[in-house]
Amino acid sequence: MLETPAAETPGVVLSSGPQAELFGQIAGNPSLSASLWLNIALAGLSILLFIYMGRNVDDPRAQLIFVATMMVPLVSISSYTGLVSGLTVSMISVPYPGGGSEEVLIMWGRYLTWTLSTPMILIALGLLAGSNLTKIFTAVVTDIGMCITGLAAAMTTSSVLLRWFWYVISCAFFVAVLYILLVEWPADAEMAGTDEIFGTLKLLTVTLWLGYPIFWALGSEGLAVLTTTQTSWAYSILDIGAKYFFAYLLLRWVTDHEGIIGNLASDSLGSATPADD
Ligand code: RET
């Protein structure tokens, strides 16, 4: 029952089976492991820091931004724990456009957990911009559509064409998210008086988020220009900026400007235009 390929790993008791094999494969690749453990460490530190930063926040809207933003490192630590443990990764036979296919280690847990973390980022940004419920809802559902169809793209092995068709659908959802981020919310943020910080976070978000489909296409799930380890590092580095750095900038601003957040139209979540009181 406890005989195992990687049982030599100090302090780790393994059972046998496919999950233990995947665990051993990741643990046996120091660079790949480091790309995952680095995020577990940074997510853990971020959680502690954000709890500390939020200790005196009283305004309900500012608190809501805090809760949504805090969820990002919480989801992330769970996501990366799933990946290092071998729970949310699989060996998949990926078909390539040039013909032929290859058995590749796919970290599909990333796409699954993005369906939880990225809506939190968008909810926090929408609240910061003083946006209304309709736009926040639209951003969230199109973003979930993007992540789920991205998961479908990564997991489709039957046809290379359908694999990339999923990718195109996911990109179409992404365009809707980008439209809200680049057109709708900047106008809302201007009215709300949060345009300066919103502008900074929008730039950071749009730039880093564009990296994800690019690395998907170049990585082992797409055209295999990059190896699995390189792809994992690319996502991990994008995650550091798009999650922890983003969250830190946002929460630091919220704690310093709680009054502005508190003055945002109290009913703006339910109305089409912010009230002017
Ligand atoms: C995929 C592949 C299919 C096409 C597109 C993608 C976009 C992914 C994005 C992910 C952002 C993730 C973040 C995670 C933070 O927790 C699924 C890679 C468009 C934009 C910010």
Side-chain angles (χ1 to χ4, degrees):
M1 194 177 92
L2 292 175
E3 42 22 280
T4 122
E8 314 86 47
T9 316
V12 179
V13 179
L14 291 173
S15 59
S16 56
Q19 199 181 103
E21 257 168 53
L22 289 165
F23 173 88
Q25 200 174 323
I26 294 170
N29 179 338
S31 177
L32 183 61
S33 278
S35 74
L36 307 175
W37 281 107
L38 175 65
N39 264 272
I40 292 182
L42 288 176
L45 289 174
S46 303
I47 292 164
L48 297 177
L49 175 66
F50 299 161
I51 289 174
Y52 177 75
M53 286 169 73
R55 70 198 181 286
N56 293 324
V57 174
D58 292 323
D59 175 71
R61 194 177 179 105
Q63 284 175 338
L64 189 52
I65 295 180
F66 249 89
V67 173
T69 311
M70 287 274 305
M71 279 301 287
V72 176
L74 286 169
V75 171
S76 190
I77 204 165
S78 318
S79 173
Y80 278 98
T81 304
L83 298 178
V84 280
S85 63
L87 174 68
T88 54
V89 302
S90 301
M91 290 302 290
I92 285 189
S93 174
V94 174
Y96 291 110
S101 60
E102 219 167 290
E103 282 284 307
V104 176
L105 180 76
I106 297 285
M107 304 209 158
W108 53 266
R110 286 188 189 274
Y111 312 110
L112 189 68
T113 51
W114 289 347
T115 61
L116 293 171
S117 59
T118 52
M120 296 299 149
I121 293 173
L122 293 173
I123 289 170
L125 279 174
L127 288 169
L128 176 73
S131 187
N132 63 43
L133 188 58
T134 307
K135 289 181 197 173
I136 295 177
F137 177 81
T138 308
V140 166
V141 292
T142 47
D143 172 72
I144 292 175
M146 173 189 84
C147 296
I148 295 287
T149 50
L151 176 66
M155 301 304 275
T156 298
T157 52
S158 53
S159 142
V160 70
L161 204 68
L162 285 173
R163 201 175 158 84
W164 285 89
F165 186 53
W166 280 123
Y167 178 83
V168 171
I169 298 175
S170 180
C171 287
F173 279 120
F174 187 33
V175 169
V177 175
L178 288 178
Y179 174 79
I180 293 172
L181 275 171
L182 289 170
V183 180
E184 296 290 339
W185 285 351
D188 292 340
E190 208 175 326
M191 279 201 281
T194 53
D195 45 332
E196 211 178 310
I197 179 68
F198 183 84
T200 306
L201 295 175
K202 176 194 74 181
L203 199 68
L204 181 72
T205 301
V206 169
T207 312
L208 292 176
W209 285 36
L210 279 169
Y212 289 82
I214 294 173
F215 282 113
W216 193 99
L218 294 177
S220 40
E221 285 105 327
L223 302 169
V225 177
L226 302 175
T227 63
T228 302
T229 304
Q230 287 166 340
T231 314
S232 181
W233 267 109
Y235 284 141
S236 292
I237 290 167
L238 288 175
D239 272 2
I240 292 170
K243 297 197 235 199
Y244 321 123
F245 185 55
F246 165 92
Y248 173 72
L249 290 182
L250 172 58
L251 296 182
R252 194 185 57 174
W253 191 90
V254 170
T255 45
D256 289 348
H257 302 82
E258 217 184 316
I260 298 185
I261 300 287
N263 283 340
L264 288 179
S266 55
D267 65 344
S268 70
L269 279 183
S271 65
T273 51
D276 52 7
D277 53 343

